[in-house]
Every structure is written in C-alpha cells, then in structure tokens.
Amino acid sequence: MKEWWKNAVVYQIYPRSFKDSNGDGIGDLQGIIQKLDYLEELGIDVIWLSPVYDSPNDDNGYDVRHYHKIMKEFGTMDDFDELLENVHKKGMRLIMDLVVNHTSDEHDWFRSRPDMYIWRDKPNNWRSFFGGSAWQYDEARGQYYLHLFSKKQPDLNWEKEGVRQAIYAMMRWWLDKGIDGFRMDVINMLSKDQRFPDGPAGDGTAYFINGPKIHHYLKEMNDEVLCHYDIVTVGETPQTGPEEGLRYTSPESRELNMIFTFEHMGVDQELGNKWQPRTYSLVELRKILEKWQSAFQEKGWNSLYWNNHDQPRSVSRFGDDHVYRVESAKMLATCLFFMRGTPFIYQGEELGMTNIQYEGIEKYKDIETLNHYHEQRKQGRSHEKIMQEIYRRGRDNARTPMQWTSGPNAGFTTGVPWIDINSNYRSINTESRHHPQSIFAYYQALISLRKKLPVLIAGDFMLFHKEDEEVFAYERKTETEHLIVYCNFSTNTRSFEQPDGEVLIGNYSKPARGKRLTLRPYEALVFYRQ
Ligand code: GLO
C-alpha cells in the first residue's frame, strides 16, 4: 500500500535495555531476535531501533564512531542481517536511528578530515543541551569546535557538500541492505546560521533550530536518497510548531513523512528548562494536541507518542503509577491511539512500566542526568532537591531494563544488568500478558482496531467538552463512520450525556450502568457507530 506507514503501529526498542542474550548485562541484537515472537504477538508493524552503530557510548550510541559497524556489545553485522531477515519474515519492518547532526569525536572523520566539522576562533554563547558551553577548545588546532550535545559529539558541518554526500552514501548503504526507513535524530538542527551570532535567550537555539538551510538539505536528501526507496521517515524536531511541522511533512515539500513534536512533552516544565516543574491543566495539554491534530488535518501526518528513551514513563507522568496504574496506562493508550497519526509505543509501555528512583547518583548512567547533577551541586544546591528533579525528568526513567519475568533480573540478563532493574518487576512483567485484563492485552486490542477501522486514518478530529479540566473527549468522523472517545484523566467519577453508538472498547471490565455515561477514575470509553 502506498503510504503504508499511516496504517502502521511502531514499537521503539532501546537495544541496551531490551534483552541480553549473552549474559554481559547489556541488551543485544540476538536478544531482540529472541523476542520477535513477543512483538508479533503484540501486533506491531514496524520496529524502530535506537542506534546500534559502533560507539564509545558517551551518549549510549547517539555518538556514532562507525556508521557501518555494529556496536560490539550488541553483536555483529551478521547478527544485524539475521535480525532484519527475521523481522521481514514476520511481515514486520525495521527502521534505524539516523544520527547525523554529529558523530562521536572518535569517528575517523574527526581525526582525518576535521574540516567536516564546525570550527571557530572564538566561542559564542551557545549552550550544549547536556550543560555548559557548546564549544570545546582543541589545543592542536588552536580553535573551538561546536558540540550541541556532549563534548564527545562534535557537530558535522552540513554546509559542506562533501559531508552531505558522505551521509547520503551511508544512508543508501543501509537502505540497499533492505531497512525500511529512518528515525532522524535532532534533524532540525543540521543548519546553523553561518554568522554564529550570540543567542538572545543565552543559548543559540534561535540560530540552529530549523536553521536557514534545513529545508534545502532535507529536500536534497529526499531527492538524492529517500525518494528512491519505499520507506518511512520520521524526523525528531524539538522546539518546532505546527506551521514549520507542515513544511517538513507535506507531501509537496518532498522532505519527511512525519516528525516528532515536543510541544506536549513540554507542558509540565518551564520553557527551555526540562528540570523545572510547572503545573499545568488538562485544558493546556489538550489544546496542544488539538493544535497539531487540526494543523495536520488536510496535509502532513502526525506521529503520536507519550514515551521514548528521552522521556519519563507516561504512566508516572500523566497517569497514576500506584492505585490506578493499570487503568491509567490503558487510558493514556486509548487517548493516543484514536487520534490521527501513527502511534509509537516505547518498550515496556505496553506493560505499564514506571519511573525509577535510585537513592544514589552513582546508580544513574545518563550523561545528561549526571552533568545536571554535578553542575547543580557545584552551584550549591542540595542532593535531595536535585534528585527530585531527576526522579521526575531523568532519561534513565525510560532506560531501566525491560521487565520480562518475575525471575532473577526480570529475565533481562543472566549477568549483572548495566543499570539497575526497577524493583517492581516482580509484579510488572510480561508473564501476565495473557490475562484478558492485562495492559498488554489492551494494547493488542487497540492495535487490531487500528487495522480495522478506516475512520482512524481518514476521519476528521474534533474536540468536545473543551473546557473540562478532567476529561479529554474527542470524536473522529467520516461520512460513514463516527467514533467518540472519552478519557478521564482524574480520580474523580464524572458523568455525561450518553453518546450514541456501541461501546467499542473500554479500560474497565464493564461500563458502569445507568442512563448517563459514567466515567470512573481514569476510565476510557470509546463509542462507535456507522
Ligand atoms: C534526543 C535524542 C537523544 C540524544 C541526542 C543526541 O534529543 O533522542 O537521546 O541524546 O539527540 O544525539
């Protein structure tokens, strides 16, 4: 089918934490192969693999040392080929992470072809996303290089034709192997304003987010590479609004198929500072989602997600990870799956996995988290205060190992896991997935509904009860089908006029009785009529 990705459900694997097959405590490709039956049972169509390329792992693989080699902890290129073949045999597809804003400083290019990177005599005020200045002095050269992320992730200079061609050649190499597309890491940061001005907000984002030539580069990438293959592309685009989003994803732009927006992920933080909490209402969250739904009504296509390897677990963040964990995990899934766009599931989301709280900072592994901790400590803030921020927002929340069983190490490894497993694995794991009330079974049902109902792809999106502080309600409509979704984001019981139609799915075993529609805590109900 043309645009097959509109019908697809994507599952993101963070390989380091998915399944270890050889007992070294680190997930690997053979581990993924062992679990393909599990993914088939869930019903997903596409696997997105976070980076598996050779890397010194300063940023868990988002620092690529060699684009054509597999990280040794994960296996070999033979393992990769076997994985791809097995995925295809099951009728699923595989997309890779494409990390081309930067490489590792251990990439051969950085040593032998330093002109492929960005050098200046003097730094400006741009800041690294992982803390501190974005510029690092290089003694030998007597100049500074730009790194929007860690010092070990120097930015490539996309102004250079040679850089672009080298990246395109690498992309073709993977596509010729038969992979089915790319998720493109921070793709909207490739083009930097060549005047390198100081940024007004003190960070420089104004000069490299959706920079001057970004659309030119992506069109060129599309012409040279993407349009020659039947693939899907999804670009990670922080700090991007719907208007710009449309430029990336409208078919006539000939750039990307989808992007990841971050607006809804920013709702609980102060602008530009992920560590600083902000109280928000459901009204705000819903407004953001509605804005993207309506902007992409005619053209372009949304990605739909609550989780990924950079975000805290959604059930801990937007739901209730204690009393109503099961209900709220299913409610969040319901809210997401019926919107217009392609849903992305992050490993463990289908089990309702939760955030983690390690006592000591030494248990944490993520470079962003560690840098934040040490920077803040230097400024004299207390351990406890900083840990509270890390508990809420740290990326390791999403990176604890997948909880397969209630046995030793949650069945993730026979060795010592690279990061501690969440102690709730004894009750939260895949063993209960065959139970009809399990979160897993609910995801299975949602996934199969997405395949059955054309309204989910074609239908318009409209909100109702727009001002409600607790219940998120919307409809999807075509000329022949009508779907109504009610999601209670609160612990209060609420009642509404009974909508027309059959109950299609709900997250309580039975809808409440009565003339009016009653929504219990975190209840989700979907009605359907033709
Ligand atoms: C989000 C990425 C993140 C990487 C970063 C550098 O922004 O998914 O995990 O650390 O992009 O590659």
Side-chain angles (χ1 to χ4, degrees):
M1 180 195 131
K2 218 180 119 248
E3 300 190 324
W4 50 266
W5 38 269
K6 288 191 173 175
N7 271 310
V9 176
V10 185
Y11 187 95
Q12 180 189 357
I13 291 182
Y14 195 70
R16 178 165 289 268
S17 303
F18 193 62
K19 171 70 187 162
D20 174 21
S21 73
N22 64 358
D24 67 355
I26 298 175
D28 47 43
L29 298 181
Q30 284 298 333
I32 300 174
I33 295 172
Q34 287 175 13
K35 293 297 180 185
L36 289 178
D37 288 345
Y38 170 84
L39 297 177
E40 187 178 34
E41 190 185 329
L42 182 58
I44 56 109
D45 308 284
V46 180
I47 297 171
W48 150 27
L49 272 190
S50 273
V52 297
Y53 313 99
D54 173 42
S55 164
N57 283 302
D58 190 50
D59 185 19
N60 286 355
Y62 283 91
D63 46 326
V64 179
R65 180 163 52 199
H66 201 305
Y67 287 109
H68 303 288
K69 282 191 187 150
I70 297 295
M71 192 190 299
K72 64 177 183 320
E73 298 88 325
F74 290 177
T76 62
M77 195 56 81
D78 285 343
D79 294 323
F80 180 85
D81 293 339
E82 188 183 333
L83 171 64
L84 184 61
E85 197 186 321
N86 281 291
V87 168
H88 285 163
K89 263 196 211 141
K90 290 198 177 292
M92 300 192 280
R93 291 176 158 103
L94 185 84
I95 69 176
M96 304 274 286
D97 224 301
L98 181 78
V99 189
V100 293
N101 174 68
H102 44 265
T103 68
S104 162
D105 65 340
E106 295 181 31
H107 194 293
D108 188 45
W109 291 341
F110 197 60
R111 268 168 280 195
S112 61
R113 295 171 65 191
D115 288 340
M116 292 178 74
Y117 298 81
I118 299 173
W119 298 89
R120 306 285 292 173
D121 294 333
K122 280 205 191 79
N124 59 16
N125 75 348
W126 296 6
R127 287 182 57 81
S128 151
F129 287 101
F130 294 163
S133 167
W135 297 93
Q136 176 68 21
Y137 188 66
D138 180 84
E139 288 283 341
R141 194 170 163 123
Q143 278 189 313
Y144 295 82
Y145 65 84
L146 179 69
H147 61 89
L148 295 182
F149 295 88
S150 97
K151 288 203 268 287
K152 287 185 65 64
Q153 292 167 298
D155 282 51
L156 283 163
N157 188 351
W158 273 73
E159 295 284 321
K160 304 235 167 168
E161 172 81 26
V163 167
R164 303 200 301 277
Q165 289 305 331
I167 297 294
Y168 301 155
M170 175 275 282
M171 291 171 73
R172 282 184 210 108
W173 188 88
W174 281 100
L175 291 166
D176 290 339
K177 229 182 203 316
I179 66 159
D180 302 289
F182 292 111
R183 173 272 185 185
M184 303 183 177
D185 191 59
V186 293
I187 201 69
N188 64 335
M189 302 189 194
L190 300 184
S191 167
K192 281 86 179 171
D193 187 323
Q194 292 302 296
R195 296 166 300 160
F196 292 92
D198 273 343
D203 64 0
T205 46
Y207 298 107
F208 60 78
I209 299 254
N210 306 323
K213 296 195 187 139
I214 185 60
H215 294 287
H216 168 76
Y217 295 154
L218 290 178
K219 284 183 209 306
E220 180 182 87
M221 181 192 281
N222 192 304
D223 272 0
E224 298 246 352
V225 185
L226 306 174
C227 75
H228 304 288
Y229 301 86
D230 177 23
I231 55 173
V232 64
T233 53
V234 45
E236 190 200 29
T237 58
Q239 302 184 36
T240 295
E243 210 170 294
E244 194 73 27
L246 265 183
R247 290 185 67 188
Y248 285 116
T249 62
S250 284
E252 67 263 26
S253 298
R254 297 176 55 87
E255 296 182 20
L256 305 173
N257 300 134
M258 291 181 258
I259 56 164
F260 288 127
T261 164
F262 285 86
E263 250 189 294
H264 64 309
M265 292 285 111
V267 72
D268 58 354
Q269 70 187 43
E270 286 304 335
L271 195 63
N273 181 359
K274 72 177 261 179
W275 303 107
Q276 206 177 326
R278 170 180 174 275
T279 30
Y280 69 96
S281 68
L282 179 66
V283 180
E284 283 174 85
L285 175 62
R286 184 174 43 211
K287 260 198 195 127
I288 297 172
L289 293 166
E290 181 197 20
K291 183 163 78 175
W292 285 85
Q293 287 289 302
S294 35
F296 286 53
Q297 198 97 280
E298 306 289 329
K299 283 184 202 156
W301 191 249
N302 272 303
S303 69
L304 306 170
Y305 75 96
W306 292 124
N307 285 280
N308 61 42
H309 63 292
D310 293 325
Q311 302 294 332
R313 292 280 178 181
S314 60
V315 69
S316 303
R317 186 179 188 181
F318 299 111
D320 171 348
D321 60 6
H322 293 288
V323 183
Y324 295 108
R325 187 185 64 86
V326 173
E327 290 80 0
S328 64
K330 293 178 185 174
M331 182 280 288
L332 288 167
T334 314
C335 184
L336 196 78
F337 263 71
F338 289 97
M339 284 193 255
R340 187 176 157 101
T342 296
F344 286 69
I345 305 170
Y346 178 69
Q347 66 185 41
E349 189 176 351
E350 76 282 15
L351 309 175
M353 278 178 62
T354 67
N355 281 351
I356 187 91
Q357 300 194 350
Y358 304 128
E359 249 165 64
I361 188 66
E362 61 295 336
K363 294 272 185 193
Y364 284 86
K365 305 289 178 199
D366 169 31
I367 180 168
E368 182 190 50
T369 299
L370 296 173
N371 286 355
H372 175 67
Y373 180 84
H374 296 300
E375 224 176 62
Q376 295 292 309
R377 285 296 279 159
K378 261 194 222 134
Q379 291 175 22
R381 294 190 57 224
S382 76
H383 168 80
E384 289 72 24
K385 283 223 170 87
I386 312 168
M387 291 316 281
Q388 286 311 317
E389 296 171 346
I390 293 173
Y391 294 161
R392 277 187 64 251
R393 288 308 299 270
R395 302 196 296 180
D396 284 336
N397 280 314
R399 300 178 180 183
T400 62
M402 181 72 178
Q403 294 165 202
W404 295 105
T405 69
S406 55
N409 292 322
F412 164 69
T413 179
T414 53
V416 181
W418 71 278
I419 188 169
D420 282 4
I421 293 168
N422 195 320
S423 55
N424 62 20
Y425 73 89
R426 287 184 194 84
S427 56
I428 304 175
N429 59 61
T430 68
E431 282 168 355
S432 57
R433 70 185 185 280
H434 300 301
H435 190 287
Q437 298 304 327
S438 71
I439 301 173
F440 181 94
Y442 195 81
Y443 267 87
Q444 282 179 314
L446 288 177
I447 295 170
S448 76
L449 281 173
R450 279 202 64 99
K451 311 260 145 78
K452 270 189 233 139
L453 306 177
V455 64
L456 287 177
I457 311 298
D460 286 347
F461 173 94
M462 255 167 319
L463 279 183
F464 51 102
H465 305 309
K466 273 194 184 193
E467 298 307 318
D468 200 294
E469 302 263 348
E470 294 171 341
V471 172
F472 191 147
Y474 62 87
E475 54 187 338
R476 301 287 313 276
K477 218 166 72 191
T478 59
E479 274 174 18
T480 50
E481 291 177 285
H482 192 179
L483 225 150
I484 296 184
V485 181
Y486 271 93
C487 292
N488 186 356
F489 273 71
S490 81
T491 50
N492 295 329
T493 297
R494 297 289 309 279
S495 102
F496 296 89
E497 200 180 313
Q498 187 76 40
D500 287 343
E502 305 267 300
V503 173
L504 187 67
I505 190 167
N507 64 347
Y508 276 65
S509 51
K510 279 197 190 100
R513 301 231 244 157
K515 281 215 188 82
R516 285 174 63 80
L517 163 67
T518 303
L519 295 175
R520 289 157 289 185
Y522 292 105
E523 183 155 9
L525 267 177
V526 182
F527 297 86
Y528 179 76
R529 67 169 191 268
Q530 279 180 322

